[in-house]
Amino acid sequence: MGDPVKSSQVYSDQDADELILLNIGGMKEDLQLFNQTISKIASCCFVPLSVGGGIRSLQDADTLFSAGADKVVVNTAAYHESNIITEISQKYGSQAIIISIDYRWSNGEPKLFSHGGSKEENITLKKHLENSAEKGAGEIMLQSMERDGLMEGYDLELLRSVAPRVAAPMIMAGGAGNFSHLLEAFKNGADAVACGSLFNFGDNNPIRAKAYLKNNGIQIKKF
């Protein structure tokens, strides 16, 4: 979709509340180059940066915070190295760590996946949410693998079932195609919504999205 630094600057100028940047390859050897990119973005953007992909240790998180991240996003390590959640939370505060959960439906149940969506994890969503909360996660991001990029709306069924049981702020991701999809997510319990294709493939921007939500009674974040 183009240069991440220039794109980030555009979204920052268009009043995005937060930018989430994920190294989707998650390879250890990519971290140095990724850190350099984050440093460039942090130097020209003035909104909080949430950064993830390949974080396996507190040291990896330290490096990203040093590069300019305000929060880190952890997915794979939250399953098998979950003490990293506590370590990051204790050092930087629980507000500085987001647990990202990739899932798809199978036989009427949400199945969780790690390693960039390539490995199914043998744990229920309910248990993983409980474990993440106990370890100190500050936010949860639910990412529908099946809806990602389709622009047909968020997974409201899962959102309605999970939102009442999750104390931490919850970000819905995967499926936004128009502003009404954002409104539906908020009305069904989301605390925040993540958008990619909505802005990349249409004549939309965060300013217009936030104006639509505000006009429909959704309280908009203020810095």
Side-chain angles (χ1 to χ4, degrees), residues 29 35 46 48 67 83 90 112 136 138 160 196 215 218:
E29 53 267 29
N35 292 338
F46 302 98
N83 284 338
Q90 288 179 344
L112 312 189
R160 283 192 294 267
N215 290 338
I218 302 301

Side-chain angles (χ1 to χ4, degrees), residues 1 7 11 195-202 204:
M1 292 308 301
S7 296
Y11 289 137
C195 314
S197 298
L198 173 65
F199 299 135
N200 291 329
F201 300 112
N204 301 306

Side-chain angles (χ1 to χ4, degrees), residues 128-139:
H128 189 47
L129 288 169
E130 290 174 353
N131 291 346
S132 298
E134 289 173 2
K135 293 292 185 178
E139 293 182 62

Side-chain angles (χ1 to χ4, degrees), residues 2-219:
D3 180 71
V5 179
K6 292 181 180 178
S7 296
S8 297
Q9 188 168 17
V10 168
Y11 289 137
S12 176
D13 292 343
Q14 291 177 341
D15 202 29
D17 289 329
E18 188 169 333
L19 298 179
I20 301 175
L21 299 107
L22 302 177
N23 171 19
I24 59 176
M27 300 299 291
K28 195 76 173 180
E29 53 267 29
D30 294 338
L31 278 178
Q32 183 175 0
L33 181 59
F34 188 48
N35 292 338
Q36 293 173 1
T37 302
I38 297 305
S39 294
K40 293 177 182 177
I41 292 172
S43 69
C44 66
C45 293
F46 302 98
V47 296
L49 301 179
S50 296
V51 180
I55 298 174
R56 299 289 188 273
S57 67
L58 178 61
Q59 290 70 33
D60 292 338
D62 288 337
T63 302
L64 289 169
F65 282 120
S66 296
D70 297 285
K71 304 177 185 178
V72 292
V73 182
V74 174
N75 185 318
T76 298
Y79 293 100
H80 304 292
E81 305 162 89
S82 58
N83 284 338
I84 188 178
I85 302 174
T86 304
E87 292 172 355
I88 295 172
S89 177
Q90 288 179 344
K91 185 170 183 178
Y92 295 100
S94 62
Q95 83 290 338
I97 181 165
I98 300 171
I99 301 302
S100 176
I101 302 175
D102 294 336
Y103 73 93
R104 67 170 72 248
W105 287 91
S106 177
N107 297 321
E109 297 290 337
K111 302 296 184 180
L112 312 189
F113 289 79
S114 62
H115 297 82
S118 64
K119 179 183 178 182
E120 183 177 343
E121 294 292 340
N122 186 27
I123 187 172
T124 65
L125 175 58
K126 180 176 182 292
K127 185 61 177 176
H128 189 47
L129 288 169
E130 290 174 353
N131 291 346
S132 298
E134 289 173 2
K135 293 292 185 178
E139 293 182 62
I140 301 294
M141 182 166 70
L142 290 174
Q143 169 76 37
S144 171
M145 297 167 61
E146 297 159 305
R147 292 173 175 268
D148 190 29
L150 295 184
M151 303 177 69
E152 295 178 353
Y154 295 108
D155 185 354
L156 300 182
E157 178 184 354
L158 185 74
L159 176 58
R160 283 192 294 267
S161 67
V162 171
R165 305 198 307 263
V166 178
M170 188 163 56
I171 307 165
M172 282 303 292
N178 57 55
F179 294 161
S180 66
H181 291 154
L182 311 184
L183 181 62
E184 290 170 352
F186 282 115
K187 286 186 174 180
N188 281 275
D191 298 288
V193 290
C195 314
S197 298
L198 173 65
F199 299 135
N200 291 329
F201 300 112
D203 184 24
N204 301 306
N205 62 56
I207 294 175
R208 293 177 59 196
K210 291 169 72 174
Y212 174 88
L213 292 170
K214 184 176 181 180
N215 290 338
N216 282 276
I218 302 301
Q219 185 174 354

